[in-house]
């Protein structure tokens, strides 16, 4: 336990950290990767170079520091991060390395303002926070180990099938190379894929949602090819997978993880809204809910630019055809002439609140959504405007988690 004086110092320095947060974490990563270059095999370089990860870590540290005397209140956030850490293979022994470099970064950025007393207080506070993470993650590792078909670390999976789903999305059907069972998962969860790319100094780890329902003899991931756009570089892993990973090749996967999952105790209507490749976890949920809760009213809305980039359409329509409770809507913002001819979509343009209110029978429903950040921000504020209860709004970020609240 921290003493009152230490807690006081931590709380009074939170505003200072907030002011210098990004500088501190930037410096922290410089120091971390210089002293431990092997960690470059774990961290996402693209998120680093776009500054996304810096913000994610800084925010988590502020939240923890702000609540240092009641850390149980941030347990839900800790659990979400711990899922990511567990799927990346972060271990207890990594924590002191991060702690030492974080402290050194605070010292470098704050200079004389970082007194011995302040540094000592932060060292203690970090130790307390780290122990909470280590404890939660240890439990998750044990669960993965104990679960039937479960495993820890990265396990080899053979690509049984590679299926082009649209111009930009391709599915990979994966079965374990050891021929053993595979762990079940909650619809909505993701796996980490660890990839060695010829000519690249470091390995890459990326997360992909499982896009098929649980209970099959395979896992399926559906990967969007992230080509370079303006200043945003191409996604090395997704492009490599599209171009070079084929049937018979091996992918290294960690066990399913994540907290964006379908609540199967809930019996109220459910609404799925996805944008682009954000439909992958929602298709898994849709398949599951249609089978396990056939009486539940389901609205599935998907936004894509047009039919050329619209993946998994047939699979979703098949579910809708076999269940009277499932309604499906397609929204294209740039339909092609072929889409127009085939009347392949329900609305042209973007999803807005008046339209949602027209097609969704009640706001007393559970809403699950996933897509580009701006798409999710707009949806989130629409649902808030409609007074949908916060507890009924569930969403997933692809990439580092953030907040959808307008700041
Ligand atoms: C991801 C916080 C310790 C490695 C994250 C995220 C947060 C976070 C907020 C983003 C989660 C998300 O996107 O859902 C923390 C805090 C720590 C801590 C508060 C200490 C108390 C560590 C340690 C390591 C580590 C010890 C290993 C050296 C990573 C990696 C990611 C991550 C590799 C994924 C980021 C990416 O690939 O861009 N962490 N973390 N973290 N963390 Fe930690």
């Amino acid at each position: 336990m921290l003493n009152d004086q230490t807690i006081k110092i931590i709380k009074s320095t939170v505003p200072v950290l907030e002011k210098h947060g990004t500088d501190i974490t930037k410096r922290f990563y410089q120091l971390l990767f210089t002293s431990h270059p092997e960690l470059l095999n774990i961290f996402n370089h693209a998120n680093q170079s776009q500054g996304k990860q810096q913000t994610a870590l800084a925010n988590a540290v502020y939240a923890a520091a702000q609540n240092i005397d009641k850390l149980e209140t941030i347990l839900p956030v800790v659990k979400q991060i711990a899922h990511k850490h567990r799927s990346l293979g972060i271990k207890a022994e990594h924590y002191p390395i991060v702690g030492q470099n974080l402290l050194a970064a605070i010292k470098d950025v704050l200079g004389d303002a970082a007194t011995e007393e302040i540094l000592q207080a932060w060292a203690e506070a970090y130790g307390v926070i780290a122990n909470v993470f280590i404890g939660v993650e240890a439990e998750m590792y044990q669960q993965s180990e104990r679960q039937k078909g479960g495993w820890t670390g990265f396990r080899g999976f053979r690509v049984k099938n590679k299926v082009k789903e649209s111009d930009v999305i391709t599915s990979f059907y994966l079965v374990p190379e050891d021929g053993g069972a595979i762990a079940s998962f909650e619809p909505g969860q993701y796996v980490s894929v660890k990839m060695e790319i010829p000519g690249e100094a470091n390995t890459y780890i990326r997360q992909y949602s499982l896009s098929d329902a649980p209970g099959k003899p395979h896992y399926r991931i559906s990967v969007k090819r992230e080509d370079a756009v303006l200043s945003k570089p191409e996604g090395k892993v997704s492009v490599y997978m599209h171009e070079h990973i084929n049937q018979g090749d091996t992918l290294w996967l960690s066990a399913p993880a994540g907290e964006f999952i379908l609540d199967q105790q809930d019996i109220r209507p459910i609404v799925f809204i996805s944008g682009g490749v954000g439909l992958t976890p929602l298709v898994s949920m849709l398949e599951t809910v249609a089978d396990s809760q056939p009486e539940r009213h389901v609205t599935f809305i998907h936004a894509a630019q047009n039919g050329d980039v619209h993946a998994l359409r047939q699979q979703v329509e098949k579910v809708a055809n076999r269940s009277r409770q499932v309604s499906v809507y397609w929204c294209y913002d740039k339909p092609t002439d072929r889409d127009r001819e085939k009347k392949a979509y329900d609305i042209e343009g973007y999803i807005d609140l008046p339209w949602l209110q027209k097609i969704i029978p009640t706001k007393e429903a559970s809403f699950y959504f996933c897509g580009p950040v701006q798409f999710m921000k707009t949806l989130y504020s629409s649902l808030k405007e409609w007074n949908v209860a916060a507890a009924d709004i569930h969403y997933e970020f692809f990439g580092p988690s953030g907040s959808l609240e307008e700041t």
Side-chain angles (χ1 to χ4, degrees):
M1 266 306 286
L2 299 177
N3 66 34
D4 290 350
Q5 177 61 7
T6 307
I7 293 174
K8 217 169 120 194
I9 294 172
I10 292 297
K11 292 204 162 189
S12 66
T13 47
V14 168
V16 185
L17 274 188
E18 273 173 347
K19 195 164 150 234
H20 295 282
T22 309
D23 286 343
I24 292 169
T25 42
K26 243 187 190 153
R27 178 76 184 129
F28 155 69
Y29 282 117
Q30 279 170 356
L31 293 170
L32 184 72
F33 294 144
T34 308
S35 59
H36 289 273
E38 74 282 4
L39 293 179
L40 283 166
N41 292 313
I42 306 181
F43 281 87
N44 180 332
H45 312 199
N47 288 344
Q48 291 293 321
S49 60
Q50 290 164 38
K52 286 190 198 161
Q53 182 54 28
Q54 274 93 334
T55 329
L57 198 127
N59 286 346
V61 174
Y62 304 149
Q66 197 73 261
N67 293 282
I68 192 71
D69 48 349
K70 44 178 178 356
L71 280 177
E72 63 287 354
T73 58
I74 61 156
L75 262 183
V77 182
V78 171
K79 276 184 81 177
Q80 188 208 326
I81 300 167
H83 268 280
K84 185 70 95 41
H85 283 164
R86 203 278 293 141
S87 96
L88 288 156
I90 307 302
K91 298 279 164 53
E93 56 266 30
H94 288 124
Y95 279 84
I97 301 172
V98 162
Q100 278 151 20
N101 286 288
L102 190 59
L103 245 80
I106 292 175
K107 201 171 166 194
D108 280 0
V109 173
L110 298 190
D112 289 346
T115 62
E116 258 322 297
E117 201 186 20
I118 290 176
L119 291 175
Q120 184 55 34
W122 272 97
E124 282 182 44
Y126 176 82
V128 171
I129 296 167
N131 278 338
V132 174
F133 276 88
I134 291 169
V136 172
E137 286 160 22
E139 237 169 76
M140 290 181 175
Y141 278 111
Q142 280 170 15
Q143 268 172 16
S144 283
E145 186 95 54
R146 277 200 302 258
Q147 193 185 0
K148 183 170 176 283
W151 72 99
T152 55
F154 287 84
R155 181 176 174 191
F157 278 72
R158 188 168 49 79
V159 177
K160 193 167 168 251
N161 217 351
K162 180 179 178 183
V163 177
K164 187 174 166 170
E165 308 282 7
S166 79
D167 281 1
V168 289
I169 296 177
T170 290
S171 287
F172 296 83
Y173 288 75
L174 307 165
V175 293
E177 285 195 314
D178 56 26
I182 51 170
S184 188
F185 63 92
E186 296 288 336
Q189 287 194 307
Y190 58 81
V191 288
S192 285
V193 174
K194 184 173 174 171
M195 178 75 74
E196 263 181 47
I197 299 181
E200 293 282 335
N202 299 107
T203 54
Y204 287 78
I205 303 180
R206 290 291 180 275
Q207 287 75 41
Y208 296 104
S209 295
L210 292 162
S211 62
D212 214 349
K216 311 248 164 99
H218 59 257
Y219 290 143
R220 184 182 72 183
I221 54 174
S222 304
V223 178
K224 179 176 174 221
R225 183 191 165 108
E226 298 288 353
D227 287 308
V229 185
L230 300 172
S231 63
K232 197 171 151 236
E234 69 172 21
K236 291 229 185 249
V237 178
S238 67
V239 170
Y240 186 77
M241 284 178 75
H242 273 245
E243 289 186 355
H244 298 288
I245 296 293
N246 292 309
Q247 202 174 329
D249 288 342
T250 301
L251 288 181
W252 294 91
L253 262 62
S254 66
E259 290 236 297
F260 176 63
I261 55 176
L262 181 68
D263 178 357
Q264 296 182 60
Q265 305 304 316
D266 189 0
I267 53 167
R268 293 168 313 150
I270 187 163
V271 182
F272 299 115
I273 312 175
S274 56
V277 72
L279 94 167
T280 49
L282 302 187
V283 168
S284 175
M285 291 186 187
L286 170 72
E287 285 269 7
T288 307
V289 77
D291 283 344
S292 67
Q293 300 180 288
E295 297 308 316
R296 197 167 177 191
H297 191 281
V298 182
T299 309
F300 188 96
I301 303 166
H302 177 58
Q305 283 187 342
N306 54 49
D308 294 348
V309 291
H310 181 174
L312 305 176
R313 176 177 182 136
Q314 279 182 351
Q315 183 177 358
V316 172
E317 287 179 341
K318 243 183 175 168
V319 178
N321 288 340
R322 71 170 192 259
S323 166
R324 277 190 304 115
Q325 293 291 61
V326 177
S327 316
V328 172
Y329 298 90
W330 308 126
C331 315
Y332 290 177
D333 58 290
K334 292 192 189 81
T336 61
D337 290 342
R338 197 152 42 100
D339 294 330
R340 283 183 213 285
E341 268 165 40
K342 286 166 66 182
K343 295 195 173 45
Y345 52 93
D346 297 284
I347 57 162
E348 178 171 348
Y350 298 103
I351 298 167
D352 61 14
L353 183 56
W355 182 72
L356 288 176
Q357 287 170 325
K358 215 162 64 192
I359 61 153
I360 296 170
T362 167
K363 74 179 172 72
E364 308 303 325
S366 289
F367 291 81
Y368 289 77
F369 56 90
C370 184
V373 174
Q374 198 47 52
F375 171 87
M376 297 213 295
K377 278 194 169 164
T378 309
L379 265 178
Y380 184 78
S381 55
S382 295
L383 297 181
K384 284 273 167 195
E385 197 185 325
W386 198 7
N387 287 323
V388 174
D392 292 335
I393 301 180
H394 313 272
Y395 53 84
E396 172 90 320
F397 282 92
F398 282 172
S401 306
S403 167
L404 294 182
E405 300 279 1
E406 289 299 335
T407 47

